[in-house]
Amino acid sequence: MRPWSYILSALFVVALAAPAMAANSITVKGSTTVLPIMQRAVEAFIAETGTPVAVSGGGSSNGIKALLDGSTDIAMASRKMKGKEIKLAESKKLTPVEHVIALDAVIPIVHPSNPVNNLTKDQLKAIYEGNITNWKEVGGPDAKIIVISRDTSSGTYETWHKIVMKKARVFPGALLQASSGAVLQAVSKNKNAIAYDGIGYINNTVKPLSVDGIKGSATTAKDKSYPVARTLQIYTSSAPSPAATQLVEFILSPKGQDIVEQAGFIRR
């Protein structure tokens, strides 16, 4: 894992002097997990092409919604499109195209002072359901577990909900965060907290945990031995603008994939 000093707010815009609505401009919206990759890629893309690009987070669901309502050229998503989203696209006679740009591992994180190093998927599920409430129940100190989760518009939440929770509900006492960066910051400041985040966000302000004895890494994500591995993708319309097509091709190129690694994620 590579440290990543994240630059994150709910909205991040990268642009040149040209107007944002210019015919050759590009709008990108969606996943805050994918955001660090896109920020770096857009900076390099602008330097090469001079094409204005506006980038904002807000979550995978919001990015896909924006693609379907025509308010973005590219949607960033840390999950696959849902069946209901595909049906909505069909009802609008749209055919979104998926482009996998990276691999990721969703990793449980705790405060660096926490002595716990590994949790099973069953233990994680029980913690997030509110059935395990004290760290001493899983080999830690006698302290209440502060559970932190992403909000439901997040693709990272969807991944956790499907793989770890097996679609069970996160208990109402969990503290919800609106972005990957906010999750990282919350855990770094609370010695009793637990959360989960994409591999590109993990740095020395938090401690990553193994899951079922397997560490999240580029190797274990690629060979799928890590239990909470996933793909990261962007979506375009079936007939994207030439500028949007050029940006997608740039991210998928060797140079773009180098940027994926520089952002701390795993090349596809």
Side-chain angles (χ1 to χ4, degrees):
M1 301 175 204
R2 300 184 181 183
W4 164 250
S5 297
Y6 61 90
I7 305 169
L8 221 169
S9 61
L11 178 65
F12 178 87
V13 175
V14 181
L16 286 183
M21 296 305 291
N24 67 336
S25 66
I26 307 167
T27 301
V28 185
K29 297 180 181 180
S31 167
T32 62
T33 298
V34 181
L35 192 57
I37 297 172
M38 188 60 69
Q39 288 171 343
R40 287 174 178 250
V42 161
E43 288 171 1
F45 179 77
I46 288 174
E48 282 195 8
T49 67
T51 302
V53 186
V55 184
S56 61
S60 298
S61 294
N62 290 328
I64 292 169
K65 179 178 181 295
L67 182 70
L68 299 185
D69 67 23
S71 62
T72 194
D73 298 297
I74 297 174
M76 302 177 287
S78 58
R79 61 164 174 82
K80 303 287 188 178
M81 285 185 68
K82 300 177 183 178
K84 63 181 181 181
E85 292 166 336
I86 294 171
K87 288 182 179 178
L88 178 59
E90 290 172 349
S91 73
K92 295 185 174 186
K93 301 188 184 307
L94 300 173
T95 308
V97 179
E98 178 186 284
H99 312 270
V100 174
I101 64 168
L103 304 179
D104 188 21
V106 179
I107 299 175
I109 54 175
V110 296
H111 191 272
S113 65
N114 194 318
V116 174
N117 294 308
N118 175 75
L119 291 172
T120 67
K121 278 201 300 181
D122 287 342
Q123 287 173 324
L124 289 165
K125 182 173 184 288
I127 288 170
Y128 273 81
E129 284 182 308
N131 295 326
I132 293 178
T133 60
N134 193 298
W135 280 111
K136 68 180 180 181
E137 299 177 68
V138 290
D142 184 4
K144 179 183 178 181
I145 300 175
I146 305 301
V147 178
I148 296 172
S149 179
R150 287 297 308 277
D151 61 273
T152 56
S153 68
S154 159
T156 304
Y157 168 86
E158 293 287 349
T159 299
W160 193 260
H161 178 63
K162 179 180 178 181
I163 299 176
V164 175
M165 301 304 293
K166 299 177 182 176
K167 299 190 176 182
R169 291 173 63 91
V170 173
F171 86 109
L175 305 177
L176 303 185
Q177 301 293 329
S179 70
S180 297
V183 165
L184 191 75
Q185 188 173 37
V187 175
S188 71
K189 293 181 177 180
N190 192 321
K191 65 180 182 179
N192 296 320
I194 186 170
Y196 50 88
D197 224 336
I199 193 171
Y201 277 86
I202 310 302
N203 61 25
N204 60 10
T205 68
V206 297
K207 176 181 174 180
L209 302 184
S210 298
V211 178
D212 291 337
I214 302 170
K215 293 181 178 180
S217 68
T219 299
T220 59
K222 284 182 176 180
D223 67 17
K224 299 181 180 180
S225 61
Y226 182 69
V228 203
R230 62 176 175 176
T231 58
L232 301 178
Q233 43 274 315
I234 54 179
Y235 288 93
T236 63
S237 69
S238 57
S241 70
T245 298
Q246 191 177 10
L247 176 55
V248 172
E249 290 174 349
F250 178 82
I251 297 171
L252 296 178
S253 72
K255 185 172 183 178
Q257 290 298 293
D258 287 345
I259 290 171
V260 167
E261 289 191 335
Q262 290 163 16
F265 290 89
I266 305 157
R267 63 198 306 139
R268 69 192 188 101

